[in-house]
Amino acid sequence: MVIRKLYIELTNRCNLNCTICYRKSWSNTFADMSSDIFYKLWEDIRNCRQIKEIVLGGIGEPTFSPLICEAIEKLKEYHLTITTNGTLMDDELMDRMIKYVDVVTVSIDGLDKKFKDIRGAELSRVIDNLKKLNEVKEKQKSQRPIINIQFVASMDSMEDIFGVIDLASSLKSNTVLVSNLIPQSEKNANKILYKKYENKKMKDLFDRIRNYSFKRGISLILPNCELKTERRCNFIDESTTFVCANGDVVPCYRFSHGYKEYIFGREKQVYKYSFGNVNEKALGEIWNSKEYVDFRRTVYNNLYPSCIDCDLVEGCDMAKDTEVDCYGVSPSCGDCLWARKFIICP
């Protein structure tokens, strides 16, 4: 198996301090990817000839990185996506986006007041930037970048979803991607909208949202709102890996940093898990290492426990963190909300 898609975290820093961010429970040191690491990674990418798609994202804000314009230029031959909060789009960045970026996914979790409550910034700043991007696209007769909107659904934000769809339409967005909240604190643990069992209220709301977005000409991607038996990992299925700002190669968003999460109110410590660092080994060598290959095979074949709906989970010490599970799998994916499609990555 070869790498087909790659996430690159140019920085784990951010210009905002959102109330729902992973970084709220971090003990990490914030840092940018160095030029040395980026250029070593770039050489590795060129040697992995099956890579078709690259996402400049991660947990930090990629447009906050000093390398953002240079990275776009170097990676222009790939299908390139940038995930951003949309607040730092200056003229130089917009010019690079229009020339080389295929998709820009912008986080908008509510309208004016709710957006400011969550993001600590003015939504008008994001709207003005996207309007200007569209104006420059039109002047240059460019179809790219496609603009997509990502919305994190929670009790704090959900009443604004119809307004966000209207906004997406006015900004000529193609898609609104809705993902659920991953609580990083006890305060946020009670703000989730998904349930273990029947969730008729949310299913009915999702039906209304589907119909509304269809009428507005917006493609809609929705998460699960109740627990399903099926477990699939998009990172595994799509032959995807993730490179952190310090060069560590990790299997997915979830294992890119250590943080605390709440799974249906149950506290869990997630540990970062790296299969190697591009400073020490080539990206392809790390991908094809026995440890990484065995991990992908285990996850692909669902050879790990389902902690979320296990009758013994409340008394199980192994479910308190991701170090190892009762099958002996390390790192443990047993509580992964992405695998259950509660959480969706751009």
Side-chain angles (χ1 to χ4, degrees):
M1 185 183 290
V2 294
I3 304 171
R4 300 191 184 277
K5 183 176 178 180
L6 177 66
Y7 283 77
I8 301 176
E9 184 181 69
L10 291 177
T11 181
N12 58 36
R13 299 187 305 123
C14 188
N15 62 310
L16 302 183
N17 187 25
C18 303
T19 60
I20 58 176
C21 185
Y22 284 73
R23 295 146 38 97
K24 292 291 184 182
S25 62
W26 275 11
S27 57
N28 302 50
T29 300
F30 299 113
D32 300 319
M33 180 175 283
S34 68
S35 294
D36 289 345
I37 292 175
F38 177 76
Y39 275 95
K40 168 59 167 61
L41 176 59
W42 182 51
E43 291 295 334
D44 287 354
I45 291 169
R46 295 169 71 189
N47 290 326
C48 296
R49 300 187 182 277
Q50 299 301 317
I51 294 177
K52 303 297 181 186
E53 183 175 357
I54 292 177
V55 180
L56 298 179
I59 309 305
E61 169 54 43
T63 64
F64 201 42
S65 164
L67 287 174
I68 182 62
C69 288
E70 187 175 7
I72 291 171
E73 181 85 32
K74 291 295 184 186
L75 300 170
K76 61 188 177 183
E77 64 189 90
Y78 300 94
H79 185 283
L80 194 57
T81 295
I82 294 178
T83 63
T84 177
N85 59 40
T87 61
L88 299 175
M89 295 166 63
D90 59 20
D91 291 345
E92 181 184 9
L93 180 56
M94 287 186 191
D95 181 65
R96 298 291 175 95
M97 286 178 169
I98 289 168
K99 285 181 180 177
Y100 305 127
V101 176
D102 296 284
V103 180
V104 173
T105 298
V106 183
S107 297
I108 299 179
D109 302 315
L111 300 180
D112 297 319
K113 183 180 185 305
K114 282 193 170 53
F115 184 89
K116 188 168 185 178
D117 288 345
I118 293 170
R119 298 274 168 183
E122 298 292 341
L123 179 59
S124 58
R125 184 176 172 188
V126 179
I127 293 173
D128 289 346
N129 285 340
L130 293 179
K131 283 181 175 178
K132 185 173 182 181
L133 181 63
N134 279 326
E135 288 170 4
V136 179
K137 281 173 60 179
E138 190 171 337
K139 284 181 184 177
Q140 296 189 16
K141 296 181 171 56
S142 176
Q143 297 298 312
R144 66 181 186 183
I146 292 169
I147 298 171
N148 291 336
I149 303 299
Q150 182 170 28
F151 178 94
V152 175
S154 73
M155 288 185 179
D156 287 341
S157 65
M158 203 61 193
E159 67 183 59
D160 279 2
I161 183 60
F162 294 100
V164 170
I165 291 171
D166 288 337
L167 177 60
S169 178
S170 71
L171 293 172
K172 302 178 182 178
S173 174
N174 279 35
T175 302
V176 171
L177 186 158
V178 179
S179 184
N180 281 302
L181 172 69
I182 302 179
Q184 306 297 311
S185 66
E186 287 188 79
K187 179 181 177 181
N188 286 337
N190 295 320
K191 295 181 180 180
I192 63 172
L193 298 172
Y194 47 99
K195 294 184 177 182
K196 284 187 183 181
Y197 306 112
E198 186 177 10
N199 196 355
K200 187 176 186 305
K201 179 181 177 181
M202 285 307 299
K203 286 196 288 187
D204 289 346
L205 178 57
F206 279 4
D207 285 342
R208 288 172 51 211
I209 295 169
R210 286 190 192 94
N211 291 334
Y212 192 82
S213 63
F214 178 76
K215 291 175 183 177
R216 300 294 282 153
I218 297 291
S219 175
L220 183 70
I221 300 173
L222 288 172
N224 283 340
C225 60
E226 58 188 28
L227 190 65
K228 304 291 184 182
T229 301
E230 181 184 14
R231 298 185 298 177
R232 302 302 310 172
C233 176
N234 285 341
F235 274 85
I236 303 297
D237 289 352
E238 297 174 7
S239 298
T240 303
T241 195
F242 184 118
V243 180
C244 298
N246 70 344
D248 282 337
V249 179
V250 300
C252 58
Y253 264 115
R254 188 177 187 230
F255 291 127
S256 62
H257 297 278
Y259 66 93
K260 188 182 295 182
E261 65 184 11
Y262 288 81
I263 310 293
F264 294 102
R266 174 170 46 85
E267 183 181 310
K268 190 179 191 85
Q269 179 63 47
V270 176
Y271 294 117
K272 178 177 179 177
Y273 196 93
S274 172
F275 288 99
N277 190 289
V278 295
N279 276 324
E280 300 164 1
K281 293 181 180 178
L283 177 62
E285 183 182 356
I286 295 169
W287 174 262
N288 288 308
S289 66
K290 183 179 185 304
E291 183 188 11
Y292 202 169
V293 170
D294 287 347
F295 173 80
R296 294 198 301 273
R297 183 184 298 115
T298 295
V299 176
Y300 181 81
N301 290 295
N302 280 300
L303 300 177
Y304 61 95
S306 176
C307 300
I308 291 177
D309 51 353
C310 176
D311 291 339
L312 304 176
V313 68
E314 296 300 335
C316 179
D317 286 341
M318 287 184 171
K320 292 180 179 179
D321 58 47
T322 59
E323 186 172 6
V324 66
D325 60 38
C326 59
Y327 286 18
V329 177
S330 181
S332 171
C333 300
D335 265 325
C336 181
L337 296 173
W338 281 266
R340 301 292 191 158
K341 205 184 170 186
F342 288 127
I343 312 301
I344 303 176
C345 294

